[in-house]
Amino acid sequence: AQKITQTQPGMFVQEKEAVTLDCTYDTSDPSYGLFWYKQPSSGEMIFLIYQGSYDQQNATEGRYSLNFQKARKSANLVISASQLGDSAMYFCAMRANDYKLSFGAGTTVTVRA
Amino acid sequence: SQTIHQWPATLVQPVGSPLSLECTVEGTSNPNLYWYRQAAGRGLQLLFYSVGIGQISSEVPQNLSASRPQDRQFILSSKKLLLSDSGFYLCAWSLEAGGPSAKNIQYFGAGTRLSVL
């Protein structure tokens, strides 16, 4: 079974600074995908960024980048130049040998002005 | 463009009452559909998924059921709600192509907050 671990329940970051959210995963499958989602207080889950297990380069999407360290089984999300609107809960998820996403427990990010 | 609609947004139901939550997807065909539940401050738990009309897979034994009467419609039901059914329910869809590492993104609806009293 796949397992996703997010060890940081909550983080504070100053506006305009960068923040790194940790995610480690556990799977024995060689083929898998890693996803990050943002959940604002309104509740909807917003897709942010994706990394495939065979991708050679770290994924980037605007201010979001994924620090993918395959040997360490980690897929940390980096948010650069934080904005007040980045305050939300962030979830790391993995999909391996089936259609299902396994989610971590999430990290709450609060951006301070 | 594809959109996903989920309703109602909020629901308060007494214990023992029935439940029906509906989810519809527009702008795509033959999507995979999913129902998740999220307890307060926690991650998402997959309840059901469907790869086609009438095809439902259950992930967690419970008093909930799901049905897919049409290609882009997914319904979550219960005959008798329990207090433990309270939570935030999210519907999602994806298009499947390629292997496990393919970029098959799941897109979520706005969710339904269910309180069973």
mmCIF file of all heavy atoms in Angstrom, chain A residues 5-56:
data_model
loop_
_atom_site.group_PDB
_atom_site.id
_atom_site.type_symbol
_atom_site.label_atom_id
_atom_site.label_comp_id
_atom_site.label_asym_id
_atom_site.label_seq_id
_atom_site.Cartn_x
_atom_site.Cartn_y
_atom_site.Cartn_z
ATOM 1 N N THR A 5 3.520 10.924 3.758
ATOM 2 C CA THR A 5 3.741 11.524 5.069
ATOM 3 C C THR A 5 4.055 12.998 4.929
ATOM 4 O O THR A 5 4.986 13.385 4.221
ATOM 5 C CB THR A 5 4.893 10.809 5.807
ATOM 6 O OG1 THR A 5 4.595 9.424 5.930
ATOM 7 C CG2 THR A 5 5.075 11.407 7.197
ATOM 8 N N GLN A 6 3.261 13.810 5.600
ATOM 9 C CA GLN A 6 3.529 15.241 5.706
ATOM 10 C C GLN A 6 3.699 15.533 7.186
ATOM 11 O O GLN A 6 2.740 15.454 7.949
ATOM 12 C CB GLN A 6 2.370 16.046 5.102
ATOM 13 C CG GLN A 6 2.216 15.858 3.613
ATOM 14 C CD GLN A 6 1.068 16.678 3.049
ATOM 15 O OE1 GLN A 6 0.014 16.150 2.731
ATOM 16 N NE2 GLN A 6 1.290 17.988 2.934
ATOM 17 N N THR A 7 4.901 15.859 7.593
ATOM 18 C CA THR A 7 5.216 15.952 9.017
ATOM 19 C C THR A 7 4.951 17.325 9.614
ATOM 20 O O THR A 7 5.008 17.488 10.827
ATOM 21 C CB THR A 7 6.682 15.590 9.253
ATOM 22 O OG1 THR A 7 7.495 16.471 8.467
ATOM 23 C CG2 THR A 7 6.965 14.152 8.853
ATOM 24 N N GLN A 8 4.684 18.323 8.786
ATOM 25 C CA GLN A 8 4.488 19.677 9.282
ATOM 26 C C GLN A 8 2.986 19.980 9.337
ATOM 27 O O GLN A 8 2.378 20.235 8.315
ATOM 28 C CB GLN A 8 5.168 20.684 8.353
ATOM 29 C CG GLN A 8 6.625 20.416 8.079
ATOM 30 C CD GLN A 8 7.045 20.972 6.726
ATOM 31 O OE1 GLN A 8 6.391 20.694 5.718
ATOM 32 N NE2 GLN A 8 8.099 21.730 6.681
ATOM 33 N N PRO A 9 2.388 19.984 10.516
ATOM 34 C CA PRO A 9 0.958 20.274 10.577
ATOM 35 C C PRO A 9 0.633 21.721 10.231
ATOM 36 O O PRO A 9 -0.425 21.998 9.658
ATOM 37 C CB PRO A 9 0.578 19.942 12.019
ATOM 38 C CG PRO A 9 1.857 19.955 12.762
ATOM 39 C CD PRO A 9 2.947 19.604 11.803
ATOM 40 N N GLY A 10 1.540 22.645 10.595
ATOM 41 C CA GLY A 10 1.277 24.052 10.318
ATOM 42 C C GLY A 10 2.571 24.829 10.183
ATOM 43 O O GLY A 10 3.570 24.517 10.822
ATOM 44 N N MET A 11 2.524 25.851 9.303
ATOM 45 C CA MET A 11 3.701 26.690 9.091
ATOM 46 C C MET A 11 3.277 28.130 8.916
ATOM 47 O O MET A 11 2.205 28.407 8.355
ATOM 48 C CB MET A 11 4.460 26.238 7.846
ATOM 49 C CG MET A 11 5.015 24.835 7.916
ATOM 50 S SD MET A 11 6.025 24.465 6.492
ATOM 51 C CE MET A 11 7.448 25.490 6.814
ATOM 52 N N PHE A 12 4.148 29.030 9.385
ATOM 53 C CA PHE A 12 3.943 30.458 9.168
ATOM 54 C C PHE A 12 5.050 30.958 8.247
ATOM 55 O O PHE A 12 6.202 30.554 8.368
ATOM 56 C CB PHE A 12 3.983 31.228 10.491
ATOM 57 C CG PHE A 12 2.818 30.943 11.385
ATOM 58 C CD1 PHE A 12 2.891 29.938 12.340
ATOM 59 C CD2 PHE A 12 1.641 31.669 11.271
ATOM 60 C CE1 PHE A 12 1.810 29.673 13.174
ATOM 61 C CE2 PHE A 12 0.554 31.410 12.094
ATOM 62 C CZ PHE A 12 0.654 30.408 13.050
ATOM 63 N N VAL A 13 4.698 31.839 7.338
ATOM 64 C CA VAL A 13 5.680 32.407 6.428
ATOM 65 C C VAL A 13 5.369 33.879 6.236
ATOM 66 O O VAL A 13 4.197 34.275 6.204
ATOM 67 C CB VAL A 13 5.698 31.660 5.082
ATOM 68 C CG1 VAL A 13 4.351 31.710 4.382
ATOM 69 C CG2 VAL A 13 6.793 32.193 4.172
ATOM 70 N N GLN A 14 6.404 34.666 6.126
ATOM 71 C CA GLN A 14 6.240 36.090 5.887
ATOM 72 C C GLN A 14 5.948 36.320 4.409
ATOM 73 O O GLN A 14 6.498 35.625 3.532
ATOM 74 C CB GLN A 14 7.521 36.822 6.291
ATOM 75 C CG GLN A 14 7.350 38.274 6.660
ATOM 76 C CD GLN A 14 6.487 38.496 7.882
ATOM 77 O OE1 GLN A 14 6.471 37.678 8.797
ATOM 78 N NE2 GLN A 14 5.763 39.598 7.874
ATOM 79 N N GLU A 15 5.085 37.272 4.162
ATOM 80 C CA GLU A 15 4.761 37.631 2.779
ATOM 81 C C GLU A 15 6.046 37.916 2.006
ATOM 82 O O GLU A 15 6.991 38.506 2.539
ATOM 83 C CB GLU A 15 3.858 38.858 2.781
ATOM 84 C CG GLU A 15 3.138 39.129 1.496
ATOM 85 C CD GLU A 15 2.195 40.332 1.607
ATOM 86 O OE1 GLU A 15 2.243 41.031 2.644
ATOM 87 O OE2 GLU A 15 1.424 40.563 0.666
ATOM 88 N N LYS A 16 6.076 37.456 0.759
ATOM 89 C CA LYS A 16 7.183 37.627 -0.184
ATOM 90 C C LYS A 16 8.347 36.669 0.068
ATOM 91 O O LYS A 16 9.305 36.662 -0.733
ATOM 92 C CB LYS A 16 7.699 39.076 -0.216
ATOM 93 C CG LYS A 16 6.639 40.090 -0.636
ATOM 94 C CD LYS A 16 7.195 41.495 -0.663
ATOM 95 C CE LYS A 16 6.076 42.492 -0.999
ATOM 96 N NZ LYS A 16 6.575 43.898 -0.993
ATOM 97 N N GLU A 17 8.284 35.888 1.110
ATOM 98 C CA GLU A 17 9.334 34.912 1.346
ATOM 99 C C GLU A 17 8.932 33.550 0.762
ATOM 100 O O GLU A 17 7.780 33.317 0.426
ATOM 101 C CB GLU A 17 9.627 34.790 2.839
ATOM 102 C CG GLU A 17 10.267 36.044 3.411
ATOM 103 C CD GLU A 17 10.696 35.880 4.861
ATOM 104 O OE1 GLU A 17 10.336 34.869 5.474
ATOM 105 O OE2 GLU A 17 11.387 36.785 5.367
ATOM 106 N N ALA A 18 9.911 32.649 0.683
ATOM 107 C CA ALA A 18 9.651 31.304 0.174
ATOM 108 C C ALA A 18 9.373 30.350 1.333
ATOM 109 O O ALA A 18 9.833 30.569 2.463
ATOM 110 C CB ALA A 18 10.839 30.800 -0.639
ATOM 111 N N VAL A 19 8.616 29.318 1.055
ATOM 112 C CA VAL A 19 8.316 28.303 2.060
ATOM 113 C C VAL A 19 8.410 26.923 1.409
ATOM 114 O O VAL A 19 8.042 26.756 0.246
ATOM 115 C CB VAL A 19 6.919 28.530 2.692
ATOM 116 C CG1 VAL A 19 5.817 28.433 1.640
ATOM 117 C CG2 VAL A 19 6.667 27.570 3.831
ATOM 118 N N THR A 20 8.938 25.969 2.172
ATOM 119 C CA THR A 20 9.064 24.589 1.680
ATOM 120 C C THR A 20 8.189 23.672 2.517
ATOM 121 O O THR A 20 8.289 23.661 3.754
ATOM 122 C CB THR A 20 10.524 24.113 1.759
ATOM 123 O OG1 THR A 20 11.331 24.938 0.923
ATOM 124 C CG2 THR A 20 10.637 22.674 1.280
ATOM 125 N N LEU A 21 7.344 22.924 1.849
ATOM 126 C CA LEU A 21 6.457 21.966 2.512
ATOM 127 C C LEU A 21 6.972 20.560 2.228
ATOM 128 O O LEU A 21 7.171 20.187 1.078
ATOM 129 C CB LEU A 21 5.028 22.116 1.983
ATOM 130 C CG LEU A 21 4.443 23.536 2.008
ATOM 131 C CD1 LEU A 21 3.006 23.513 1.531
ATOM 132 C CD2 LEU A 21 4.558 24.143 3.375
ATOM 133 N N ASP A 22 7.169 19.815 3.297
ATOM 134 C CA ASP A 22 7.778 18.498 3.171
ATOM 135 C C ASP A 22 6.749 17.417 2.828
ATOM 136 O O ASP A 22 5.608 17.453 3.303
ATOM 137 C CB ASP A 22 8.479 18.113 4.482
ATOM 138 C CG ASP A 22 9.649 19.019 4.795
ATOM 139 O OD1 ASP A 22 10.161 19.678 3.871
ATOM 140 O OD2 ASP A 22 10.051 19.060 5.972
ATOM 141 N N CYS A 23 7.202 16.466 2.030
ATOM 142 C CA CYS A 23 6.377 15.310 1.696
ATOM 143 C C CYS A 23 7.296 14.127 1.425
ATOM 144 O O CYS A 23 8.218 14.231 0.607
ATOM 145 C CB CYS A 23 5.523 15.589 0.457
ATOM 146 S SG CYS A 23 4.617 14.148 -0.173
ATOM 147 N N THR A 24 7.096 13.050 2.122
ATOM 148 C CA THR A 24 7.793 11.811 1.809
ATOM 149 C C THR A 24 6.756 10.752 1.469
ATOM 150 O O THR A 24 5.612 10.812 1.929
ATOM 151 C CB THR A 24 8.673 11.326 2.969
ATOM 152 O OG1 THR A 24 7.856 11.140 4.134
ATOM 153 C CG2 THR A 24 9.771 12.326 3.271
ATOM 154 N N TYR A 25 7.165 9.807 0.653
ATOM 155 C CA TYR A 25 6.232 8.787 0.194
ATOM 156 C C TYR A 25 6.886 7.424 0.272
ATOM 157 O O TYR A 25 8.110 7.299 0.352
ATOM 158 C CB TYR A 25 5.758 9.097 -1.235
ATOM 159 C CG TYR A 25 6.881 9.189 -2.242
ATOM 160 C CD1 TYR A 25 7.290 8.077 -2.967
ATOM 161 C CD2 TYR A 25 7.540 10.394 -2.464
ATOM 162 C CE1 TYR A 25 8.320 8.158 -3.875
ATOM 163 C CE2 TYR A 25 8.569 10.484 -3.366
ATOM 164 C CZ TYR A 25 8.962 9.378 -4.071
ATOM 165 O OH TYR A 25 9.988 9.459 -4.975
ATOM 166 N N ASP A 26 6.060 6.419 0.225
ATOM 167 C CA ASP A 26 6.555 5.057 0.320
ATOM 168 C C ASP A 26 5.797 4.201 -0.672
ATOM 169 O O ASP A 26 4.569 4.066 -0.581
ATOM 170 C CB ASP A 26 6.366 4.517 1.741
ATOM 171 C CG ASP A 26 6.973 3.136 1.917
ATOM 172 O OD1 ASP A 26 7.850 2.774 1.103
ATOM 173 O OD2 ASP A 26 6.580 2.429 2.860
ATOM 174 N N THR A 27 6.518 3.668 -1.627
ATOM 175 C CA THR A 27 5.924 2.755 -2.579
ATOM 176 C C THR A 27 7.000 1.841 -3.120
ATOM 177 O O THR A 27 8.168 2.233 -3.208
ATOM 178 C CB THR A 27 5.243 3.510 -3.738
ATOM 179 O OG1 THR A 27 4.646 2.558 -4.623
ATOM 180 C CG2 THR A 27 6.238 4.348 -4.522
ATOM 181 N N SER A 28 6.612 0.641 -3.483
ATOM 182 C CA SER A 28 7.546 -0.291 -4.109
ATOM 183 C C SER A 28 7.376 -0.315 -5.626
ATOM 184 O O SER A 28 8.107 -1.019 -6.323
ATOM 185 C CB SER A 28 7.331 -1.699 -3.540
ATOM 186 O OG SER A 28 5.993 -2.099 -3.728
ATOM 187 N N ASP A 29 6.406 0.463 -6.128
ATOM 188 C CA ASP A 29 6.182 0.520 -7.565
ATOM 189 C C ASP A 29 7.194 1.461 -8.217
ATOM 190 O O ASP A 29 7.429 2.554 -7.698
ATOM 191 C CB ASP A 29 4.767 1.021 -7.878
ATOM 192 C CG ASP A 29 3.700 0.088 -7.354
ATOM 193 O OD1 ASP A 29 3.916 -1.135 -7.385
ATOM 194 O OD2 ASP A 29 2.656 0.591 -6.886
ATOM 195 N N PRO A 30 7.764 1.075 -9.359
ATOM 196 C CA PRO A 30 8.724 1.964 -10.028
ATOM 197 C C PRO A 30 8.052 3.113 -10.774
ATOM 198 O O PRO A 30 8.674 4.140 -11.032
ATOM 199 C CB PRO A 30 9.431 1.026 -11.016
ATOM 200 C CG PRO A 30 8.409 -0.038 -11.297
ATOM 201 C CD PRO A 30 7.651 -0.233 -10.025
ATOM 202 N N SER A 31 6.770 2.947 -11.087
ATOM 203 C CA SER A 31 6.036 3.960 -11.839
ATOM 204 C C SER A 31 4.988 4.583 -10.948
ATOM 205 O O SER A 31 4.097 3.894 -10.431
ATOM 206 C CB SER A 31 5.369 3.312 -13.060
ATOM 207 O OG SER A 31 4.637 4.274 -13.791
ATOM 208 N N TYR A 32 5.090 5.898 -10.748
ATOM 209 C CA TYR A 32 4.129 6.577 -9.899
ATOM 210 C C TYR A 32 4.121 8.063 -10.232
ATOM 211 O O TYR A 32 5.017 8.578 -10.914
ATOM 212 C CB TYR A 32 4.436 6.372 -8.403
ATOM 213 C CG TYR A 32 5.846 6.703 -7.999
ATOM 214 C CD1 TYR A 32 6.202 7.990 -7.625
ATOM 215 C CD2 TYR A 32 6.832 5.718 -8.008
ATOM 216 C CE1 TYR A 32 7.506 8.288 -7.271
ATOM 217 C CE2 TYR A 32 8.140 6.010 -7.657
ATOM 218 C CZ TYR A 32 8.471 7.290 -7.286
ATOM 219 O OH TYR A 32 9.768 7.583 -6.930
ATOM 220 N N GLY A 33 3.087 8.735 -9.771
ATOM 221 C CA GLY A 33 2.971 10.172 -9.965
ATOM 222 C C GLY A 33 2.753 10.855 -8.630
ATOM 223 O O GLY A 33 2.102 10.310 -7.739
ATOM 224 N N LEU A 34 3.286 12.043 -8.495
ATOM 225 C CA LEU A 34 3.163 12.810 -7.261
ATOM 226 C C LEU A 34 2.445 14.124 -7.571
ATOM 227 O O LEU A 34 2.728 14.773 -8.587
ATOM 228 C CB LEU A 34 4.535 13.088 -6.668
ATOM 229 C CG LEU A 34 5.293 11.817 -6.245
ATOM 230 C CD1 LEU A 34 6.771 12.054 -6.181
ATOM 231 C CD2 LEU A 34 4.764 11.310 -4.904
ATOM 232 N N PHE A 35 1.524 14.485 -6.716
ATOM 233 C CA PHE A 35 0.682 15.657 -6.943
ATOM 234 C C PHE A 35 0.644 16.504 -5.676
ATOM 235 O O PHE A 35 0.663 15.981 -4.562
ATOM 236 C CB PHE A 35 -0.760 15.235 -7.275
ATOM 237 C CG PHE A 35 -0.881 14.337 -8.472
ATOM 238 C CD1 PHE A 35 -0.585 12.980 -8.378
ATOM 239 C CD2 PHE A 35 -1.322 14.831 -9.679
ATOM 240 C CE1 PHE A 35 -0.702 12.137 -9.483
ATOM 241 C CE2 PHE A 35 -1.457 14.002 -10.788
ATOM 242 C CZ PHE A 35 -1.145 12.661 -10.687
ATOM 243 N N TRP A 36 0.530 17.803 -5.884
ATOM 244 C CA TRP A 36 0.251 18.713 -4.774
ATOM 245 C C TRP A 36 -1.048 19.455 -5.061
ATOM 246 O O TRP A 36 -1.279 19.925 -6.178
ATOM 247 C CB TRP A 36 1.375 19.729 -4.581
ATOM 248 C CG TRP A 36 2.528 19.204 -3.780
ATOM 249 C CD1 TRP A 36 3.655 18.595 -4.247
ATOM 250 C CD2 TRP A 36 2.679 19.266 -2.361
ATOM 251 N NE1 TRP A 36 4.491 18.258 -3.207
ATOM 252 C CE2 TRP A 36 3.918 18.670 -2.037
ATOM 253 C CE3 TRP A 36 1.886 19.789 -1.317
ATOM 254 C CZ2 TRP A 36 4.388 18.572 -0.723
ATOM 255 C CZ3 TRP A 36 2.342 19.690 -0.018
ATOM 256 C CH2 TRP A 36 3.584 19.087 0.263
ATOM 257 N N TYR A 37 -1.869 19.548 -3.997
ATOM 258 C CA TYR A 37 -3.128 20.275 -4.075
ATOM 259 C C TYR A 37 -3.169 21.329 -2.978
ATOM 260 O O TYR A 37 -2.613 21.150 -1.899
ATOM 261 C CB TYR A 37 -4.322 19.330 -3.884
ATOM 262 C CG TYR A 37 -4.654 18.461 -5.076
ATOM 263 C CD1 TYR A 37 -3.985 17.260 -5.289
ATOM 264 C CD2 TYR A 37 -5.633 18.839 -5.977
ATOM 265 C CE1 TYR A 37 -4.294 16.459 -6.375
ATOM 266 C CE2 TYR A 37 -5.958 18.043 -7.067
ATOM 267 C CZ TYR A 37 -5.279 16.860 -7.261
ATOM 268 O OH TYR A 37 -5.584 16.064 -8.340
ATOM 269 N N LYS A 38 -3.903 22.390 -3.281
ATOM 270 C CA LYS A 38 -4.136 23.471 -2.316
ATOM 271 C C LYS A 38 -5.617 23.464 -1.941
ATOM 272 O O LYS A 38 -6.479 23.346 -2.817
ATOM 273 C CB LYS A 38 -3.787 24.812 -2.956
ATOM 274 C CG LYS A 38 -4.138 26.051 -2.142
ATOM 275 C CD LYS A 38 -3.824 27.308 -2.951
ATOM 276 C CE LYS A 38 -4.193 28.575 -2.212
ATOM 277 N NZ LYS A 38 -3.904 29.795 -3.016
ATOM 278 N N GLN A 39 -5.893 23.576 -0.642
ATOM 279 C CA GLN A 39 -7.289 23.634 -0.192
ATOM 280 C C GLN A 39 -7.489 24.893 0.638
ATOM 281 O O GLN A 39 -7.142 24.945 1.817
ATOM 282 C CB GLN A 39 -7.667 22.391 0.625
ATOM 283 C CG GLN A 39 -9.153 22.343 0.961
ATOM 284 C CD GLN A 39 -9.552 21.097 1.741
ATOM 285 O OE1 GLN A 39 -8.827 20.666 2.637
ATOM 286 N NE2 GLN A 39 -10.697 20.517 1.396
ATOM 287 N N PRO A 40 -8.055 25.939 0.047
ATOM 288 C CA PRO A 40 -8.362 27.147 0.823
ATOM 289 C C PRO A 40 -9.497 26.863 1.809
ATOM 290 O O PRO A 40 -10.082 25.780 1.796
ATOM 291 C CB PRO A 40 -8.803 28.151 -0.242
ATOM 292 C CG PRO A 40 -8.684 27.493 -1.556
ATOM 293 C CD PRO A 40 -8.414 26.036 -1.347
ATOM 294 N N SER A 41 -9.812 27.850 2.614
ATOM 295 C CA SER A 41 -10.842 27.667 3.643
ATOM 296 C C SER A 41 -12.206 27.357 3.039
ATOM 297 O O SER A 41 -13.064 26.772 3.703
ATOM 298 C CB SER A 41 -10.925 28.905 4.530
ATOM 299 O OG SER A 41 -11.177 30.053 3.751
ATOM 300 N N SER A 42 -12.410 27.711 1.797
ATOM 301 C CA SER A 42 -13.693 27.420 1.136
ATOM 302 C C SER A 42 -13.879 25.926 0.872
ATOM 303 O O SER A 42 -14.998 25.454 0.702
ATOM 304 C CB SER A 42 -13.787 28.187 -0.176
ATOM 305 O OG SER A 42 -12.676 27.891 -0.990
ATOM 306 N N GLY A 43 -12.781 25.185 0.831
ATOM 307 C CA GLY A 43 -12.890 23.733 0.758
ATOM 308 C C GLY A 43 -12.529 23.074 -0.548
ATOM 309 O O GLY A 43 -12.225 21.872 -0.558
ATOM 310 N N GLU A 44 -12.577 23.790 -1.658
ATOM 311 C CA GLU A 44 -12.268 23.099 -2.909
ATOM 312 C C GLU A 44 -10.798 22.717 -2.975
ATOM 313 O O GLU A 44 -9.956 23.371 -2.387
ATOM 314 C CB GLU A 44 -12.663 23.949 -4.118
ATOM 315 C CG GLU A 44 -11.728 25.087 -4.445
ATOM 316 C CD GLU A 44 -12.107 26.381 -3.781
ATOM 317 O OE1 GLU A 44 -12.708 26.342 -2.690
ATOM 318 O OE2 GLU A 44 -11.798 27.429 -4.375
ATOM 319 N N MET A 45 -10.513 21.638 -3.649
ATOM 320 C CA MET A 45 -9.144 21.162 -3.834
ATOM 321 C C MET A 45 -8.649 21.651 -5.193
ATOM 322 O O MET A 45 -9.237 21.343 -6.222
ATOM 323 C CB MET A 45 -9.096 19.630 -3.791
ATOM 324 C CG MET A 45 -9.475 19.047 -2.449
ATOM 325 S SD MET A 45 -8.200 19.235 -1.233
ATOM 326 C CE MET A 45 -7.062 17.962 -1.760
ATOM 327 N N ILE A 46 -7.539 22.390 -5.174
ATOM 328 C CA ILE A 46 -7.010 22.990 -6.389
ATOM 329 C C ILE A 46 -5.688 22.323 -6.733
ATOM 330 O O ILE A 46 -4.749 22.337 -5.926
ATOM 331 C CB ILE A 46 -6.805 24.506 -6.194
ATOM 332 C CG1 ILE A 46 -8.127 25.174 -5.795
ATOM 333 C CG2 ILE A 46 -6.235 25.146 -7.453
ATOM 334 C CD1 ILE A 46 -7.966 26.588 -5.289
ATOM 335 N N PHE A 47 -5.597 21.748 -7.921
ATOM 336 C CA PHE A 47 -4.358 21.117 -8.364
ATOM 337 C C PHE A 47 -3.279 22.170 -8.576
ATOM 338 O O PHE A 47 -3.520 23.219 -9.190
ATOM 339 C CB PHE A 47 -4.597 20.348 -9.657
ATOM 340 C CG PHE A 47 -3.333 19.950 -10.363
ATOM 341 C CD1 PHE A 47 -2.552 18.922 -9.860
ATOM 342 C CD2 PHE A 47 -2.914 20.621 -11.498
ATOM 343 C CE1 PHE A 47 -1.375 18.564 -10.499
ATOM 344 C CE2 PHE A 47 -1.743 20.266 -12.136
ATOM 345 C CZ PHE A 47 -0.974 19.244 -11.631
ATOM 346 N N LEU A 48 -2.073 21.885 -8.076
ATOM 347 C CA LEU A 48 -0.963 22.831 -8.212
ATOM 348 C C LEU A 48 0.120 22.338 -9.156
ATOM 349 O O LEU A 48 0.543 23.057 -10.064
ATOM 350 C CB LEU A 48 -0.331 23.093 -6.844
ATOM 351 C CG LEU A 48 -1.182 23.781 -5.786
ATOM 352 C CD1 LEU A 48 -0.386 23.909 -4.491
ATOM 353 C CD2 LEU A 48 -1.665 25.135 -6.267
ATOM 354 N N ILE A 49 0.619 21.124 -8.908
ATOM 355 C CA ILE A 49 1.814 20.700 -9.612
ATOM 356 C C ILE A 49 1.905 19.188 -9.593
ATOM 357 O O ILE A 49 1.399 18.527 -8.676
ATOM 358 C CB ILE A 49 3.066 21.359 -8.987
ATOM 359 C CG1 ILE A 49 4.290 21.254 -9.899
ATOM 360 C CG2 ILE A 49 3.340 20.797 -7.600
ATOM 361 C CD1 ILE A 49 5.443 22.161 -9.450
ATOM 362 N N TYR A 50 2.572 18.637 -10.618
ATOM 363 C CA TYR A 50 2.690 17.196 -10.790
ATOM 364 C C TYR A 50 4.138 16.827 -11.115
ATOM 365 O O TYR A 50 4.838 17.569 -11.816
ATOM 366 C CB TYR A 50 1.776 16.754 -11.934
ATOM 367 C CG TYR A 50 2.153 15.430 -12.544
ATOM 368 C CD1 TYR A 50 1.707 14.239 -11.984
ATOM 369 C CD2 TYR A 50 2.977 15.366 -13.675
ATOM 370 C CE1 TYR A 50 2.057 13.020 -12.531
ATOM 371 C CE2 TYR A 50 3.328 14.152 -14.216
ATOM 372 C CZ TYR A 50 2.862 12.987 -13.649
ATOM 373 O OH TYR A 50 3.221 11.790 -14.180
ATOM 374 N N GLN A 51 4.548 15.661 -10.596
ATOM 375 C CA GLN A 51 5.879 15.122 -10.908
ATOM 376 C C GLN A 51 5.741 13.630 -11.180
ATOM 377 O O GLN A 51 5.227 12.901 -10.341
ATOM 378 C CB GLN A 51 6.829 15.339 -9.725
ATOM 379 C CG GLN A 51 8.235 14.821 -9.937
ATOM 380 C CD GLN A 51 9.143 15.824 -10.611
ATOM 381 O OE1 GLN A 51 9.111 17.014 -10.312
ATOM 382 N NE2 GLN A 51 9.982 15.352 -11.513
ATOM 383 N N GLY A 52 6.211 13.184 -12.325
ATOM 384 C CA GLY A 52 6.201 11.765 -12.632
ATOM 385 C C GLY A 52 7.489 11.113 -12.166
ATOM 386 O O GLY A 52 8.546 11.738 -12.128
ATOM 387 N N SER A 53 7.405 9.837 -11.840
ATOM 388 C CA SER A 53 8.578 9.155 -11.281
ATOM 389 C C SER A 53 9.719 9.056 -12.274
ATOM 390 O O SER A 53 10.876 8.903 -11.874
ATOM 391 C CB SER A 53 8.186 7.763 -10.779
ATOM 392 O OG SER A 53 7.648 6.980 -11.835
ATOM 393 N N TYR A 54 9.420 9.153 -13.553
ATOM 394 C CA TYR A 54 10.470 9.038 -14.565
ATOM 395 C C TYR A 54 10.956 10.392 -15.057
ATOM 396 O O TYR A 54 11.841 10.446 -15.914
ATOM 397 C CB TYR A 54 9.961 8.204 -15.741
ATOM 398 C CG TYR A 54 9.618 6.778 -15.364
ATOM 399 C CD1 TYR A 54 8.322 6.296 -15.532
ATOM 400 C CD2 TYR A 54 10.560 5.929 -14.829
ATOM 401 C CE1 TYR A 54 7.988 4.994 -15.185
ATOM 402 C CE2 TYR A 54 10.248 4.620 -14.473
ATOM 403 C CZ TYR A 54 8.959 4.166 -14.662
ATOM 404 O OH TYR A 54 8.637 2.874 -14.306
ATOM 405 N N ASP A 55 10.360 11.440 -14.518
ATOM 406 C CA ASP A 55 10.772 12.777 -14.961
ATOM 407 C C ASP A 55 12.174 13.073 -14.450
ATOM 408 O O ASP A 55 12.469 12.887 -13.265
ATOM 409 C CB ASP A 55 9.792 13.836 -14.435
ATOM 410 C CG ASP A 55 8.419 13.708 -15.053
ATOM 411 O OD1 ASP A 55 8.314 13.031 -16.103
ATOM 412 O OD2 ASP A 55 7.462 14.261 -14.487
ATOM 413 N N GLN A 56 13.014 13.562 -15.341
ATOM 414 C CA GLN A 56 14.399 13.839 -14.977
ATOM 415 C C GLN A 56 14.563 15.188 -14.295
ATOM 416 O O GLN A 56 15.472 15.393 -13.497
ATOM 417 C CB GLN A 56 15.277 13.790 -16.234
ATOM 418 C CG GLN A 56 15.359 12.420 -16.876
ATOM 419 C CD GLN A 56 15.989 11.384 -15.958
ATOM 420 O OE1 GLN A 56 17.053 11.607 -15.393
ATOM 421 N NE2 GLN A 56 15.307 10.259 -15.779
#
